[in-house]
Amino acid sequence: MRTGILFGLTLAFLFIHGAHSATITITNNCSYTIWPGDLTANQNPQLPNTGFELASLASTSLDIPNPWTGRFWARTGCSTDGSGKFTCATADYGSSQVSCNGKSAIPPTSLVEFDIALIDGQDFYDVSLVDGFNLPVSVTPQGGSGPCKSSSCPVDLNPTCPTDLQVKASDGSVIGCKTACIAFNQPQHCCTGNYSSPETCPPTSYSQFFKERCPQAYSNAYDDQPGLFTCSGGPDYKIVFCP
Ligand SMILES: *[C@@H]1O[C@H](CO)[C@@H](O)[C@H](O)[C@H]1NC(C)=O
Ligand SMILES: *[C@@H]1O[C@H](CO)[C@@H](O)[C@H](O)[C@H]1NC(C)=O
């Protein structure tokens, strides 16, 4: 009897205190291999799997603790050289390894960002182009309650990227699109110094390039909410690269 009560109390405690951990499933819908990576914010312990290879049409699932704040992205054009050094054409960590181990990607890189159960069990998530673009991506809650809308940048921005923002492969093809802040490092493009408020850092033709093509994604530090993406009740999430 006592055991039964204790067991019930334990279950209730686990239920209330977030024993639920979100499962995030990452699918590569691109025609080429990608190397997804993840970074846990605030130097919390990193996830067991911080970087991995994902063949075309393959999926991998990761268990995310609750609460959790962090981001996902994917590297492209990776290879291992004769000395065992692993490098990628876009979104490299500079770690020379498939695992990122707490390092963030070198822009330009499309991002999916999460605040899982940050406030009262409510999740926030978005697609961000604040670090530029390297490949299309979407994020979709599975289950949950509330708006729980899918967000994405489903368009390949590389072919139409403005010339002065382009990152090119050795064969001349465009493989990434920088933000104007990264390309020019000027306060009016980075919203710093005299430009560090929404009034003094309005959208530019460069930030509008991203905004017009991917309106659901953040494209500037003072981007108006492209729709607040939120979901409650402990949903799982699906991230698709090249949706
Ligand atoms: C910021 O603006 C003030 C007033 O217009 C100007 O005097 C100052 O030089 C500016 N600072 C920079 C870094 O441009
Ligand atoms: C995968 O890409 C194809 C186009 O190549 C598209 O029709 C399909 O909807 C995509 N699947 C997902 C899960 O996004």
Side-chain angles (χ1 to χ4, degrees):
M1 192 65 189
R2 285 186 71 154
T3 315
I5 289 166
L6 258 186
F7 182 66
L9 285 176
T10 307
L11 272 187
F13 178 84
L14 287 175
F15 184 72
I16 292 161
H17 286 268
H20 173 90
S21 66
T23 299
I24 297 186
T25 303
I26 300 161
T27 299
N28 178 11
N29 198 43
C30 308
S31 58
Y32 45 86
T33 300
I34 60 172
W35 287 260
D38 57 72
L39 178 72
T40 302
N42 307 324
Q43 280 144 11
N44 284 324
Q46 296 297 316
L47 300 178
N49 193 349
T50 54
F52 50 94
E53 181 174 323
L54 201 55
S56 178
L57 303 184
S59 294
T60 291
S61 291
L62 301 176
D63 285 329
I64 306 299
N66 180 351
W68 186 77
T69 300
R71 47 170 58 180
F72 287 86
W73 64 92
R75 295 160 288 176
T76 62
C78 304
S79 60
T80 305
D81 72 10
S83 63
K85 192 169 181 274
F86 177 80
T87 54
C88 302
T90 70
D92 207 349
Y93 312 129
S95 69
S96 306
Q97 294 171 350
V98 179
S99 293
C100 117
N101 300 319
K103 291 193 174 168
S104 59
I106 300 163
T109 175
S110 320
L111 296 171
V112 176
E113 302 176 308
F114 287 99
D115 278 326
I116 302 280
L118 195 63
I119 305 164
D120 291 339
Q122 191 178 11
D123 299 351
F124 295 90
Y125 54 94
D126 63 69
V127 170
S128 173
L129 303 180
V130 166
D131 278 356
F133 173 95
N134 67 331
L135 78 176
V137 65
S138 69
V139 55
T140 309
Q142 313 280 294
S145 56
C148 302
K149 283 187 285 190
S150 181
S151 180
S152 69
C153 177
V155 186
D156 185 0
L157 303 183
N158 290 331
T160 53
C161 179
T163 313
D164 34 6
L165 303 183
Q166 293 175 355
V167 174
K168 291 182 178 174
S170 47
D171 69 359
S173 59
V174 179
I175 53 173
C177 194
K178 295 179 190 176
T179 62
C181 173
I182 294 162
F184 311 128
N185 192 24
Q186 289 168 342
Q188 64 268 39
H189 291 299
C190 298
C191 301
T192 53
N194 280 358
Y195 303 88
S196 58
S197 74
E199 292 72 34
T200 56
C201 200
T204 63
S205 62
Y206 292 112
S207 66
Q208 273 164 353
F209 164 79
F210 294 97
K211 195 76 211 169
E212 281 164 10
R213 286 157 184 80
C214 287
Q216 291 181 339
Y218 284 89
S219 57
N220 161 299
Y222 294 113
D223 198 357
D224 283 342
Q225 290 289 354
L228 190 55
F229 290 95
T230 178
C231 192
S232 301
D236 292 327
Y237 290 92
K238 200 170 165 52
I239 295 173
V240 179
F241 289 100
C242 304

